[in-house]
Every structure is written in structure tokens, then in C-alpha cells.
Amino acid sequence: MWHSFSEAFSFPFMRNALFASLLIGITSSIVGIYVVLRRIAFLGIGLAQVSSLGIALATYLGLNKDILSLTMVFLCLVFLIMATRGKERVPREALIGVIYSFALALSLLLLSKSAKGEAGVMESLFGNLLAIHQEDVRNLLIAFLPILVLYLLFSKEITATSFDAETARAMGLNTQLWNFLFYLTVGVVIAFATRLSGVFFSFSMLVIPPFIALLASRSLRMAFVLSLLVVIPSVVIGLYLSYAWDFPPSGMIVVFLFLFLSLTSMRRGH
Amino acid sequence: MEMKRLLLEFRDVYLGYRGEVVLPSVNLLIEEGDFIGIVGPNGAGKTTLLRAIAGVLKPMKGQVIIHKPNLSLGYVPQRSLLEETYPLTAMEVVSMGLYKRVGVLRSVRKFEKKAREVLRVVGLEEMEKKLYRELSGGQKQKVLLARALVSEPEILLLDEPITDLDIASQKSMLDFLTHLNKEKGITILLVSHLLDVVAERAEKIVMLGDGKVVSGKRDEMLSPGMLREFFGLPRRGA
Ligand SMILES: Nc1ncnc2c1ncn2[C@@H]1O[C@H](COP(=O)(O)OP(=O)(O)OP(=O)(O)O)[C@@H](O)[C@H]1O
Ligand SMILES: [Mg+2]
């Protein structure tokens, strides 16, 4: 049964879901371009799981979820940076994997004792875009708008620092500052996105649109534009169809991203 | 002989990573208009020294004194250390050389004319829209040189810029560097393990090896004793 677009989005919960996933999708895919280029995509899912653990812990202890999950994500980032300062005996990637598993294990234990039980585990993984309140959307806007402005204004500094930090530094760029801001934004994006949409959705948004865009791009500028061109329709159509066909929205949106991915790879295979 | 202006000075500088010394007690003078070759076998610390001169690596001990305020430098990193996944065009890479000059909030677009001009100078005017990662090794090297030149530096630091080039390109690159040095007065520090090539062009030579750093005029440095000590066989412990 085909409901009309305007009908679907006339409900406040659908509008909140739309605005929130657009904000998450757009911000994640911009930040995610650098995450993918720096070969730290795995960090995305590791941090998302840590953030999810923070949320579970906050629920358990009755603390503020945003604050605790942000704190844990930052502690984890600081730990990762410190731990890889010394001689790299094992690739850092593996350490991120260990953190991911550990965070997942702890979340599982915590959630099993929570009131929601197994449903809580599902929600922490898959989120619930339809339960987002207007207030959440507002908080998301407050957190993500500065990030978008930062990447818009300073993309050349962030790019130079990612691509060739040594030369950038020799030229006089403050690469430590730009690196710090990069990781800070990754942390904020993942923490907020995970809180509202779950581990799976926040990781997908961070990695899939940039991956598709980078596959098809012949300049960095083009990669940013394509990333948005992929994520915005996926969110709108995915949400609409999830309403029309009664599917979970995050799953529907990500399936749409895969549709774009196959289209791009087909075009490339030409 | 006219007095040359002192640009940079190393006084008993120790360089290394995470507490481990690679180059102890480096003493070095760099004067305006110098053409200095930095030579030594693999792992001797050539890149390490260049990083310190560029201000990227902080000394563990000792002083690096910059005698000319706002000394502008161009840096050409060892190409093999660069990430190649980025979808950056040759033009985008060259424009990066202008980021500092363009200033934080402004677009580099206005400066593309300048970048295009430098690409022409290194012989890559046709390549500006091509992806950096899809260029040949020699072309990449030229793009990196163009990026360093686009900000019109007073001092140019090059890490193994000719290693990947064919003989003809090696010669044209070296001719070009000599031209920059002689005609434009740009101070040049050239790292290479190809001693003969460096000896042909550089007026001063810094030799590294086994944790030792010795520098001097080319003719003093090319004495048989020196060569045996730094490049000769058999080496101690080898
Ligand atoms: N980032 C780093 N961290 C730790 N040790 C390093 C680092 N870079 C270099 N080293 C060590 O410092 C020493 C000198 O390395 P460097 O790269 O300066 O040599 P090089 O003369 O440039 O060699 P090549 O000819 O191979 O480029 C080596 O023993 C190397 O292991
Ligand atoms: Mg080197």
C-alpha cells in the first residue's frame, strides 16, 4: 500500500526521525570521508560500541546518557592515542577490535540486568529512530551544526593534515590542533548518533556514504558532494518506505545505501 | 669571498624518537644560497635530520636557532611515506602548498593561477586535473616539488627527490634545482643516498652514518678517508 509522502511525514515522530537521520547522515558522511581515507573505519564501530556501553551504564546508574557516553568515547580516544605512542608491537587496528569486543561484552552484561533485558540489547544495537523527540533533534542540531561549520570553513586544513601531516607542519600549519579537532568531532558525531540511532546506524552512516562517494570520485570536492547526494535520498526514501511497508527505518535506510553502492560499482565496472 | 647570511644553526642537537637517539650532537650551519647535499646509507638518519631542519621533529637536546625571522620553507617529503588513497588532483595537491599563505578562512580557488603556473614550470601543465595517485612515480615527485615551490620559499628541503626518476629526469630535476639555487637564490638542502649525483651539484655536503654527522665543503668531504668511513666496505660490524 502506497501512502503519500506528505501523509507519512505529517506525523511528528516521522518528522523528528527525518530531521535526526538527515543531521546524523550529513554530518557523519562529511566526517566519515576523512575516517575512511585515514583507514580508521574500524575506529568508528569501536567508538560506537563504547558509546553504547556508556549509555547502558548511564541507564543502570541513573546518570545523564549524553554526558557519560561522550566521556567514555573521549577516554577511549585518549587511551588509544596514549597506547599507540610507544613502539607499535601490534597494529592499532587490533586494539580497536579488542576494545569493541570488550565494550560489547560489558554492554551485554549490563543490559541483561536492565528492565528491558533483551529488548534493551536490540535497541542499543539497532536504535529506534521513531522514538526520537523534538528535544533530541534540537540537541543534535546544537552538537552537529558547529561541526558542519568547522568542516566547511577548515576543510583545507583538515585535508592537508590528513594527507601529509609532515609537510603541512613544515609549512606552518598547527597539525596537532587540526588532528585534535578531527578526533574530537569523530567522538561527538559517534556519541550523539549512537545515542539516538544505535551502534549499527551510526557506524553505517560514518562509513558507507563516504565509501560510495570515494569509489566514484575524481576529486575530494566531488567526494563530499557525492556523499551528500547518496545519503540524503537514502534517508528520505528509506524512512518513507519503512513507514509504508512497516519495516525498521534504520535497516531500510542502510539497504538503500547498498542500492547506491551497487549502482556505483556497476558504473565503475563499465 | 662575500659573507653569506646565516639562516639556520644547529648547536649540539640530539635527534631521535621516543627517547632513542638516532643522531647525537649535530652541529650545522646553513647559509643563504647554500646548496647542501645530505648523504648517507639507508637508515643513517637523513630524513630525521631534514625533519628537524623543517621544524617537524623537535630536538631531544640542544638548540636549533633560526637566524632569519619568518624564514619560509618548502618541504618535499620522501614520496614513499605518503598515503595514496586520497582522490586529490595534481592541482589540489599543489594548492596545498598555499594553505598557510591563503589564510584560514579563505578559498584556495583564487590562487589556482599560481598553482597552474608552477605545474607548468615543472612540466606538468597537462596533468592538473589528473589524480595524484594515478600519476607515474616521477610525475608525483614533480607534483610534490611544485607544491613546495608554489609558496615561493627561501629554503627548499628535498628528501630523495630523484631516487625514482629515470636518468634523463634526474638530470632535468637537478638542473632545475641548480637553476633555482643560482638564479633565484633559493637555499637548497638535498637528501639522497646517491653520493655521486649529490657530489656533482652540492657545494657543501653533510655525511651521516653510524650515528655520526660530519659536514664541510664538498672537496674536503670527498676525500678517500671520508668516503671509506661513511660509505666504504667493509663497515664495522657489518
Ligand atoms: N617515526 C619514527 N619512529 C621511530 N624511529 C624512527 C622513525 N623514523 C625513523 N626512525 C629511525 O631512525 C633511524 C633513521 O631513520 P631515517 O628515516 O632518518 O633514515 P634515512 O637516512 O632517511 O633512511 P632512508 O635512506 O631509508 O630513507 C632509523 O633507524 C629508523 O629506524
Ligand atoms: Mg629517508
Side-chain angles (χ1 to χ4, degrees):
Chain A
M1 200 166 61
W2 287 89
H3 298 251
S4 77
F5 247 68
S6 54
E7 187 205 318
F9 292 110
S10 67
F11 300 102
F13 70 90
M14 282 295 284
R15 275 207 301 273
N16 290 338
L18 178 69
F19 291 138
S21 10
L22 278 178
L23 267 171
I24 292 171
I26 289 169
T27 316
S28 302
S29 53
I30 299 283
V31 176
I33 295 234
Y34 294 101
V35 170
V36 171
L37 284 175
R38 286 177 174 229
R39 302 170 190 269
I40 52 171
F42 210 28
L43 181 70
I45 195 158
L47 288 181
Q49 191 55 56
V50 168
S51 162
S52 171
L53 172 63
I55 295 158
L57 198 64
T59 316
Y60 191 76
L61 301 173
L63 298 172
N64 183 303
K65 290 180 190 165
D66 285 323
I67 292 174
L68 197 61
S69 75
L70 260 177
T71 312
M72 290 196 46
V73 165
F74 289 135
L75 285 180
C76 179
L77 273 172
V78 170
F79 168 73
L80 273 172
I81 291 165
M82 298 304 245
T84 48
R85 272 269 165 86
K87 277 233 162 75
E88 212 171 87
R89 260 170 260 138
V90 181
R92 173 171 62 178
E93 186 112 86
L95 181 59
I96 297 172
V98 171
I99 291 174
Y100 167 76
S101 289
F102 187 50
L104 185 56
L106 286 180
S107 308
L108 200 60
L109 296 186
L110 268 177
L111 290 168
S112 74
K113 295 289 177 212
S114 75
K116 281 185 188 163
E118 228 162 82
V121 178
M122 288 292 281
E123 198 180 311
S124 86
L125 265 184
F126 296 111
N128 187 359
L129 288 174
L130 301 180
I132 293 173
H133 298 289
Q134 201 166 359
E135 199 192 318
D136 297 324
V137 178
R138 203 197 58 210
N139 290 343
L140 207 55
L141 199 64
I142 294 172
F144 283 9
L145 213 52
I147 296 177
L148 287 173
V149 172
L150 184 86
Y151 278 73
L152 199 66
L153 294 182
F154 300 107
S155 70
K156 60 187 201 298
E157 283 76 9
I158 297 169
T159 303
T161 303
S162 303
F163 174 63
D164 181 2
E166 190 162 293
T167 306
R169 210 161 149 205
M171 281 178 347
L173 281 189
N174 189 346
T175 52
Q176 274 163 328
L177 172 72
W178 296 114
N179 260 332
F180 170 77
L181 286 174
F182 168 70
Y183 282 108
L184 183 77
T185 54
V186 170
V188 170
V189 166
I190 290 176
F192 275 86
T194 305
R195 153 112 155 76
L196 292 183
S197 62
V199 173
F200 154 75
F201 191 70
S202 81
F203 176 64
S204 303
M205 286 294 157
L206 193 71
V207 173
I208 302 174
F211 180 79
I212 297 170
L214 286 168
L215 262 186
S217 293
R218 310 231 7 122
S219 81
L220 201 56
R221 213 177 302 218
M222 188 174 162
F224 285 112
V225 174
L226 270 185
S227 206
L228 298 182
L229 284 182
V230 162
V231 83
I232 294 172
S234 299
V235 164
V236 177
I237 302 171
L239 259 181
Y240 168 69
L241 288 182
S242 80
Y243 171 82
W245 296 339
D246 192 23
F247 277 119
S250 53
M252 208 67 207
I253 293 171
V254 172
V255 164
F256 253 86
L257 286 176
F258 275 105
L259 219 73
F260 272 104
L261 178 58
S262 6
L263 281 177
T264 342
S265 359
M266 251 153 56
R267 204 188 64 99
R268 266 179 64 86
H270 227 49
Chain B
M1 238 179 85
E2 89 268 42
M3 279 289 288
K4 288 209 245 172
R5 181 174 179 179
L6 192 56
L7 293 181
L8 213 94
E9 184 180 357
F10 274 52
R11 276 194 205 154
D12 197 28
V13 170
Y14 284 65
L15 300 172
Y17 302 90
R18 305 178 195 107
E20 272 179 52
V21 178
V22 174
L23 294 173
S25 194
V26 184
N27 288 289
L28 193 66
L29 293 177
I30 299 170
E31 292 170 316
E32 196 157 45
D34 273 349
F35 193 135
I36 302 178
I38 300 176
V39 294
N42 289 133
K46 303 182 293 295
T47 299
T48 303
L49 180 60
L50 210 63
R51 280 187 181 135
I53 295 169
V56 172
L57 181 70
K58 294 273 164 284
M60 304 162 81
K61 222 178 96 183
Q63 277 179 293
V64 175
I65 303 158
I66 299 167
H67 288 283
K68 185 169 187 196
N70 301 321
L71 182 69
S72 69
L73 59 85
Y75 187 74
V76 181
Q78 196 160 358
R79 194 175 62 71
S80 55
L81 305 175
L82 268 193
E83 186 64 72
E84 309 232 309
T85 46
Y86 287 66
L88 292 164
T89 61
M91 172 63 97
E92 283 176 314
V93 173
V94 173
S95 303
M96 281 187 187
L98 288 164
Y99 284 2
K100 187 64 187 179
R101 174 157 307 186
V102 172
V104 157
L105 290 177
R106 290 165 57 200
S107 158
V108 275
R109 275 233 152 133
K110 282 189 234 98
F111 291 76
E112 279 186 359
K113 201 168 137 251
K114 178 98 191 94
R116 199 163 289 134
E117 198 182 302
V118 182
L119 271 171
R120 203 190 52 225
V121 169
V122 299
L124 290 180
E125 60 267 59
E126 321 267 84
M127 299 286 169
E128 66 170 78
K129 294 219 170 63
K130 271 213 136 191
L131 284 185
Y132 171 80
R133 65 178 179 217
E134 290 172 2
L135 299 175
S136 79
Q139 290 169 333
K140 279 179 191 159
Q141 197 62 62
K142 287 177 183 163
V143 169
L144 296 183
L145 177 65
R147 177 181 62 170
L149 286 175
V150 73
S151 65
E152 300 179 342
E154 295 162 89
I155 175 167
L156 192 56
L157 313 177
L158 305 113
D159 199 346
E160 305 276 9
I162 52 172
T163 312
D164 294 323
L165 305 187
D166 58 60
I167 302 282
S169 308
Q170 275 192 11
K171 183 171 178 319
S172 78
M173 173 74 86
L174 287 165
D175 285 346
F176 183 56
L177 293 179
T178 309
H179 161 80
L180 290 174
N181 179 246
K182 292 281 168 296
E183 311 301 324
K184 310 252 151 131
I186 298 179
T187 308
I188 290 185
L189 276 85
L190 172 67
V191 164
S192 180
H193 59 263
L194 305 171
L195 176 66
D196 48 339
V197 176
V198 173
E200 206 179 292
R201 306 284 173 154
E203 292 141 5
K204 292 185 187 171
I205 290 182
V206 179
M207 275 193 197
L208 310 180
D210 276 344
K212 281 191 300 258
V213 186
V214 183
S215 61
K217 292 242 165 59
R218 169 178 49 198
D219 300 332
E220 307 159 18
M221 295 303 291
L222 294 180
S223 71
M226 279 290 185
L227 293 182
R228 196 171 322 114
E229 186 170 347
F230 284 92
F231 284 90
L233 294 164
R235 269 208 301 158
R236 237 182 327 123

